[in-house]
Amino acid sequence: MAQFLLETVWLVPLYALIGGLLAIPWSPGIIRKMGPRPAGYVNLIMTFLALLHSAIALQATWNHLPQEVFIPWLSTAGLDLTIALEISSISVGAMVVITGLNFLAQIFAIGYMERDWGWGRFYSLLGLFEAGLCALVLCNNLFFSYVILEILTLGTYLLVGLWFSQPLVVTGARDAFLTKRVGDLFLLMGVLGLWPLAGTWNYPELEQWAQTANVDPTIITLVGLALVAGPMGKCAQFPLHLWLDEAMEGPVPSTILRNSVVVASGAWVLIKLQPVLTLSPIVSSFIVAIGAVTAIGGSLIAIAQIDVKRCLSYSVSAYMGLVFIAVGVQQDEAALLLVLTHAVSAALLVMSTGGIIWNSITQDVTQLGGLWSRRPISGLAFIVGTLGLIGFPPLGSFWALLKLADGLWETHPWLVGIVIAVNALTAFSLVREFGLIFGGKPKQMTERSPEVHWPMILPMMILLGFVLHLPLVLQSLSLLPDWATLNKDVVLLLIWSSIFGCSISGVMYLSNIIPKPIRLPWKGLQDLLAYDFYTPKLYRITIIFSVAQLSKFADMIDRFVVDGIVNLVGLFSLLGGEGLKYSTSGQTQFYAFTVLLGVGVLGAWVTWPFWGVQFLDLMF
């Protein structure tokens, strides 16, 4: 049975796709009598089947060599587009994480989306997301990976714009879509530019080609930078990070997936392309630089935000920056471990704060407070999610950060400082958010804010237990190092950075020593962080302004040049027609004379070169 499920594990993406298609009749209201709720139940069943299938297949594939499945699609003119799939422990394990988190998000949505008019459409799009992500981790071909990423971009646009009657939602969906399109355009250039160099898009063949490749350094650098631009947009890296903030306008259940696994889709492709990217030292340095800037910048920006969703979204960008650093220094195992530990902890944090948004009306953390006594389960989930996301032993992210920092200790010690700083800043930011939401005295928005009902509590508790037991899972899979071989210096630095960040933030936001609200001494610095280093303003005065001026110029050319020529031809046709109308007499001899005159003029024009030569001979 397990072997059969392993051989057919490539069908797992179809479960979610079928569930999404079955939910469509309830989306536009075709089936009205029973309401839209069956759309959610159908997707829940299909996602559970996908989770069960992939979990059993994971046991069968563990410690076995990867298998490849080829599905012929198109072969013409020397171009072979065969869908290549890789069935390995990593890809099947990634599917378990995706289907598991989507299953919990769908249960959470039953409570969060109660009586929402977009229920059926929402669950259909969640099914599209799950199918796309599962297909992406199975896909072993760069071209089809790009196609899947485009489908996920479309899914992001539709999910963010679910409540399209609200102007802010429409604006957020549009901006998120257009921002990601910038990286997608460069990624397409890189995909097409890599084909003439390598002659393949298959990831294993690209790895073999990269081992002996002899290409022009300038060309491979340009292609590599284009290939990196796509994951930069997907992982919300500077300067393409604004889309994740704009995407917060969507429903919280979709944010569970977006902040955990969707944002890591670009990191997955980046890890797959790592052998090709290392051909250019400039590209590797660029990846590390982008990751470092985003990790530090995102951590600092998160501290100055007052929107609960924005606080978490910038922390997501910061941790994806650490993944970029890991890929840039060729630590793929550390990058994968970071993606896993971040996914489960980030999803738990979104669930904890999502319930607060649901019945507290506001997302402004300055208007919240005193919720610990009223919502202890949500508060406990937030604490566990925080400890699972920072370097707190023995939870998951401690081991991921330790693996990354240990690998950088000898070769890139300055990057170890960035990892330690990001860990401390993240601890500070999350404890600050906890203090503003759960600490202090109740305020007007939180005086009547009871704990959410069971459809939202159940997935939260299941994920809380998984975050706590993740080290045991990793230990059973032999993915954790031995205590005897640990770098004690790195361990102490991680632990002390976590203690330092939590302690400083706790003193500031969990006690009455410092009056609230807390502001930096220099208002300019606080505004710089609060307004995202003025990145949106820079976009407006550079890219948006340039596109607007180009659009105005194109409109002017269209109205005055293109339309002018067409209108001039039309005017001549109109005048010619009017002239002919008044010049006709209805007499046969007049028509015959006109025809003969036209034939004579045409004959003279055709024979003019001959008569012109004869005339010149007579003259001279």
Side-chain angles (χ1 to χ4, degrees):
M1 182 63 177
Q3 186 62 31
F4 172 76
L5 293 178
L6 176 61
E7 294 174 354
T8 58
V9 75
W10 55 275
L11 294 173
V12 168
L14 296 181
Y15 288 99
L17 193 59
I18 293 173
L21 293 175
L22 292 177
I24 290 178
W26 287 280
S27 176
I30 297 175
I31 302 176
R32 298 178 179 270
K33 292 185 177 181
M34 62 183 68
R37 295 184 74 87
Y41 303 145
V42 168
N43 276 271
L44 270 173
I45 293 172
M46 300 307 295
T47 300
F48 177 75
L49 293 176
L51 174 60
L52 188 64
H53 190 158
S54 54
I56 297 175
L58 178 61
Q59 299 178 359
T61 190
W62 195 256
N63 291 329
H64 287 75
L65 294 175
Q67 304 177 22
E68 287 190 284
V69 176
F70 298 97
I71 303 176
W73 184 55
L74 177 65
S75 180
T76 179
L79 180 63
D80 183 19
L81 294 180
T82 299
I83 302 176
L85 306 177
E86 181 187 62
I87 301 175
S88 63
S89 302
I90 296 177
S91 61
V92 178
M95 283 199 300
V96 172
V97 176
I98 293 167
T99 54
L101 288 177
N102 192 37
F103 181 68
L104 296 178
Q106 289 181 359
I107 298 176
F108 189 89
I110 291 177
Y112 191 92
M113 304 288 290
E114 186 178 13
R115 298 181 181 179
D116 192 281
W117 57 270
W119 180 293
R121 186 158 47 91
F122 174 78
Y123 274 95
S124 296
L125 293 174
L126 281 187
L128 176 65
F129 255 125
E130 180 188 333
L133 290 169
C134 290
L136 179 66
V137 298
L138 284 176
C139 185
N140 212 24
N141 184 284
L142 177 59
F143 176 79
F144 289 104
S145 295
Y146 170 78
V147 173
I148 296 170
L149 288 175
E150 292 300 288
I151 296 173
L152 292 175
T153 300
L154 175 62
T156 299
Y157 171 75
L158 296 175
L159 262 179
V160 175
L162 183 74
W163 297 320
F164 53 80
S165 59
Q166 303 177 21
L168 285 178
V169 171
V170 174
T171 302
R174 180 201 63 196
D175 293 348
F177 180 78
L178 294 178
T179 304
K180 295 180 75 173
R181 296 303 301 155
V182 176
D184 293 342
L185 178 62
F186 283 102
L187 177 59
L188 178 60
M189 294 179 185
V191 171
L192 297 178
L194 186 60
W195 174 263
L197 300 177
T200 181
W201 282 318
N202 188 273
Y203 288 129
E205 294 177 359
L206 286 174
E207 183 178 3
Q208 295 177 2
W209 168 78
Q211 294 175 357
T212 58
N214 185 17
V215 293
D216 184 81
T218 303
I219 294 177
I220 195 62
T221 298
L222 294 176
V223 171
L225 291 176
L227 293 173
V228 172
M232 279 176 57
K234 305 301 180 184
C235 295
Q237 298 296 285
F238 182 85
L240 303 178
H241 63 291
L242 294 180
W243 75 266
L244 188 60
D245 177 38
E246 298 290 345
M248 295 299 109
E249 296 294 341
V252 168
S254 64
T255 306
I256 296 173
L257 283 181
R258 187 183 306 111
N259 279 18
S260 57
V261 290
V262 175
V263 77
S265 60
W268 182 269
V269 175
L270 194 70
I271 294 170
K272 288 280 191 177
L273 287 174
Q274 191 266 339
V276 175
L277 301 178
T278 54
L279 291 175
S280 173
I282 297 177
V283 174
S284 298
S285 301
F286 177 77
I287 295 173
V288 173
I290 289 295
V293 170
T294 307
I296 295 294
S299 301
L300 290 173
I301 294 171
I303 295 173
Q305 302 306 308
I306 61 174
D307 186 281
V308 61
K309 285 186 175 182
R310 288 171 64 93
C311 295
L312 296 178
S313 69
Y314 284 108
S315 296
V316 170
S317 295
Y319 263 75
M320 289 299 105
L322 296 180
V323 174
F324 265 62
I325 292 176
V327 175
V329 297
Q330 304 179 34
Q331 290 196 37
D332 295 346
E333 293 182 4
L336 289 172
L337 193 57
L338 272 171
V339 169
L340 170 62
T341 57
H342 170 267
V344 293
S345 298
L348 182 58
L349 288 172
V350 175
M351 286 185 182
S352 174
T353 55
I356 295 169
I357 295 171
W358 182 68
N359 63 2
S360 295
I361 303 176
T362 182
Q363 297 178 194
D364 190 341
V365 292
T366 61
Q367 299 181 17
L368 301 173
L371 286 177
W372 176 255
S373 59
R374 289 167 169 75
R375 314 185 70 153
I377 298 178
S378 297
L380 182 62
F382 194 95
I383 292 175
V384 173
T386 299
L387 297 179
L389 197 61
I390 63 177
F392 181 84
L395 298 185
S397 286
F398 169 76
W399 301 104
L401 294 172
L402 175 61
K403 190 174 185 62
L404 175 60
D406 189 22
L408 299 171
W409 186 258
E410 297 292 340
T411 57
H412 304 84
W414 66 277
L415 289 177
V416 177
I418 291 180
V419 174
I420 300 301
V422 170
N423 181 57
L425 290 172
T426 303
F428 182 94
S429 174
L430 293 177
V431 173
R432 166 186 173 268
E433 192 173 348
F434 176 83
L436 292 174
I437 296 174
F438 296 97
K441 297 180 180 180
K443 298 182 181 179
Q444 184 178 4
M445 291 293 184
T446 57
E447 288 180 351
R448 296 181 180 180
S449 182
E451 193 64 85
V452 293
H453 52 165
W454 72 267
M456 301 168 72
I457 291 293
L458 178 62
M460 192 188 307
M461 289 295 97
I462 294 175
L463 192 56
L464 184 149
F466 185 80
V467 172
L468 290 175
H469 290 83
L470 181 59
L472 297 178
V473 175
L474 296 176
Q475 181 65 36
S476 64
L477 298 176
S478 302
L479 295 177
L480 294 184
D482 189 2
W483 279 99
T485 61
L486 292 181
N487 188 329
K488 305 301 188 298
D489 295 330
V490 176
V491 171
L492 291 175
L493 284 173
L494 278 175
I495 295 175
W496 278 112
S497 64
S498 299
I499 295 174
F500 178 77
C502 293
S503 301
I504 297 298
S505 185
V507 170
M508 296 174 65
Y509 294 98
L510 290 174
S511 67
N512 296 322
I513 299 175
I514 301 177
K516 315 238 180 351
I518 299 174
R519 299 187 182 276
L520 295 177
W522 184 33
K523 186 178 183 299
L525 178 60
Q526 179 149 347
D527 291 342
L528 182 68
L529 299 180
Y531 292 107
D532 190 7
F533 292 102
Y534 298 109
T535 307
K537 187 175 182 179
L538 292 175
Y539 267 93
R540 285 194 296 270
I541 64 178
T542 55
I543 298 177
I544 296 177
F545 176 78
S546 302
V547 173
Q549 296 303 314
L550 183 62
S551 300
K552 291 179 181 179
F553 178 74
D555 178 66
M556 184 179 65
I557 294 296
D558 181 66
R559 287 190 292 112
F560 292 103
V561 178
V562 179
D563 287 354
I565 294 174
V566 174
N567 292 335
L568 184 63
V569 173
L571 179 62
F572 274 112
S573 301
L574 180 62
L575 294 177
E578 290 293 330
L580 288 175
K581 180 177 71 174
Y582 290 108
S583 64
T584 55
S585 61
Q587 297 179 358
T588 306
Q589 60 269 25
F590 180 78
Y591 294 144
F593 174 74
T594 304
V595 172
L596 290 174
L597 181 63
V599 171
V601 172
L602 179 62
W605 179 71
V606 171
T607 59
W608 173 251
F610 173 76
W611 293 105
V613 173
Q614 295 294 329
F615 178 75
L616 292 175
D617 291 341
L618 292 174
M619 291 292 295
F620 299 102

